[in-house]
Structures are given as C-alpha cells and as structure tokens.
Amino acid sequence: MIEPKLHYYHFGEGVSAFSTMRQGGYSKGNYADFNINSYCGDEEEAIKKNRKALCTLLGISEDHLLMPHQVHLTEIAIIDDDFMHRGIEERRQALDGVDALMTNLKGVCIGVSTADCIPVLLYDPEHRAVCAIHAGWRGTVKRIVEHAVKKMSVVYGTHATDIVAQIGPGISLDSFEVGDEVYETFANEGFPMELISKRREKWHIDLPACNRLQLESMGVPIQHITVSPICTFKQADSFFSARRLGINSGRIFTAIILLP
C-alpha cells in the first residue's frame, strides 16, 4: 500500500500532529498525490484509498478520522462521545458549515482542510484537549482563533496560558496579494495594519501573523506558539496551493490526535 507523506509537529508526549503533503497517495493531476477532501472535485475512489492509507498509518479506524465541510465562518463543533455514536449521515450534517473541531477523546483524529488558508492546532496539556481550526482570510477577520480559545475555556476549563499552538503551512505575506476591499476589511475590524500588511503594487496581508496576534491577545504565551515557515504558494510542489493550482486541486489535511 502507498503510504502518505506527513509533515509532523511536536506537541510533546501523548499527542500526534501533522499536515499531509502532496506525496504518497492515489489522486491524479492537480490532486496528486494525496487528497482526502471530497468538496474540491477529486475522484471519490482516490479519496477513499487515501483515507484508508492515512488511517492505517495512524492506527485508527476510518470513522475516527474527522474533517468538517468548511464555509469560512466561525462555527466550532465539539467531538464528544455523543457525536461518535451518531450515524454517518447525522455526523455529516453536524460537520456541515463548521470551520473548527475540538475534542478531549483519545484516538480521534480531528483536522481541517486548507490550500493557502491557515490551519491552526491547539493543545491544552492540563485538561488533555485539542482543537483544529481553519482560518482563511474571512475566518481570520472574524477572529475564529479567539472564538476557539474561548470555547475551549468554556468546554474544557482551558487556560490560555497553558495552550500550545501550531500555525501550519499557509500562504505567506509575500504571496498573499489582496485588493483594497480586503485590506479595508481587516482595518475596519481593528487589526494592527502596520504589523500585518505591506504595500507593494497591491496590498499584502500576513495571515499567519494575524492568527499569531490573536493567540497572543487571548493570553497564549508567545513561547508556546510555533509558526510554520512553509508558504504553500511558494512550495506548491509539496503542499497544495489553490492560488497556484486553481480551486480544482487537492487540499492539505492538518490534524491532531490525542494518543491512547
């Protein structure tokens, strides 16, 4: 069996976290090789084979690999025992329109799908809880990371000062050129534009920095935050980039799992 190539992150003992790379799967063309997103036009048979290969590598059953249907908003789903006992269709409906997942269940792999957007992983070592967040520019403007930290506090008793965070591969400041309307949206929402933007021929926005600043504002210590240096646009040979490959292309799966 073909084995997916994973880019791993270090969160300490008892946690595994990673982003999938393009290599090591069954998809073809702009989806090659590894894609498990069913909403971007890839062949279902290839997706099934890729999911099976990933679950085999992780040592989990396929119903323990969870990814929402994201819509660039701020809805967050809690993955608990009740959710895990639901049927396939009920689960699918519950994850439709969701942009972040959180859980304290062991052996359940939660993740989000990106291809230039910013994936953010959170781990609370005190309460043994994790969260996976999809932060595109719209979700970033809506401060989904802040919402996630608040929700972890309510649901698990998480203290922001305990959180360990990984900001995964996404489009960099150099590559994320935006129109004036996007710049103005960030400015109107109170983002420190002198820290997160640069003017060249057009405006450029630093999405990883936007999300790092949100974590810091919520009280996550800066030494607990790691920002990936990988720019998906510049490294589209290894990580999917919708700006480079088009929207009809594969997606990165960035995920975290509490080990049994």
Side-chain angles (χ1 to χ4, degrees):
M1 178 180 285
I2 296 174
E3 186 173 288
K5 186 175 181 181
L6 306 182
H7 179 79
Y8 286 100
Y9 307 110
H10 180 68
F11 278 88
E13 292 185 9
V15 183
S16 182
F18 61 88
S19 291
T20 58
M21 300 181 69
R22 291 188 62 178
Q23 293 74 27
Y26 295 88
S27 298
K28 305 296 182 184
N30 279 355
Y31 302 96
D33 296 332
F34 188 88
N35 168 65
I36 60 169
N37 187 309
S38 297
Y39 302 100
C40 57
D42 196 5
E43 294 181 2
E44 283 300 322
E45 186 59 30
I47 293 169
K48 288 179 182 178
K49 289 181 178 179
N50 289 336
R51 283 182 62 92
K52 183 176 181 180
L54 179 59
C55 290
T56 298
L57 181 60
L58 297 175
I60 61 173
S61 58
E62 291 187 48
D63 65 340
H64 280 56
L65 181 68
L66 303 177
M67 179 178 68
H69 180 206
Q70 301 153 189
V71 291
H72 298 274
L73 296 176
T74 58
E75 189 68 27
I76 303 167
I78 301 167
I79 307 303
D80 54 15
D81 286 322
D82 175 69
F83 177 91
M84 295 304 294
H85 284 94
R86 297 179 189 180
I88 295 175
E89 181 58 25
E90 192 177 356
R91 279 186 178 200
R92 189 193 65 77
Q93 292 178 6
L95 296 184
D96 190 42
V98 169
D99 282 87
L101 304 177
M102 59 178 57
T103 192
N104 62 355
L105 300 180
K106 294 180 180 178
V108 177
C109 183
I110 58 170
V112 291
S113 180
T114 62
D116 290 331
C117 294
I118 310 301
V120 182
L121 301 176
L122 307 179
Y123 172 47
D124 172 4
E126 286 297 314
H127 299 89
R128 294 282 291 161
V130 292
C131 183
I133 306 161
H134 163 244
W137 78 261
R138 292 178 179 84
T140 298
V141 163
K142 295 181 176 73
R143 301 180 188 273
I144 188 171
V145 165
E146 293 183 12
H147 288 293
V149 172
K150 290 175 183 176
K151 191 150 189 169
M152 288 185 75
S153 175
V154 171
V155 176
Y156 306 118
T158 296
H159 299 291
T161 50
D162 293 326
I163 289 176
V164 181
Q166 173 70 55
I167 296 174
I171 197 164
S172 65
L173 169 68
D174 286 344
S175 301
F176 190 44
E177 183 181 273
V178 302
D180 290 347
E181 71 284 356
V182 175
Y183 175 92
E184 289 166 6
T185 301
F186 277 88
N188 291 338
E189 289 299 322
F191 282 83
M193 304 312 293
E194 70 281 2
L195 299 179
I196 63 137
S197 66
K198 285 187 178 179
R199 181 79 181 189
R200 293 172 184 170
E201 289 184 11
K202 290 187 177 181
W203 284 107
H204 287 240
I205 299 287
D206 191 336
L207 287 181
C210 290
N211 287 285
R212 175 182 56 78
L213 290 170
Q214 287 183 51
L215 289 167
E216 290 180 30
S217 74
M218 294 301 294
V220 179
I222 189 169
Q223 63 269 27
H224 288 190
I225 305 170
T226 303
V227 182
S228 172
I230 296 167
C231 172
T232 47
F233 184 84
K234 293 179 180 178
Q235 295 174 243
D237 57 335
S238 297
F239 296 90
F240 290 110
S241 168
R243 282 204 170 197
R244 200 71 177 267
L245 301 168
I247 59 171
N248 293 319
S249 59
R251 301 292 188 268
I252 303 161
F253 180 61
T254 297
I256 189 165
I257 179 171
L258 292 168
L259 302 176

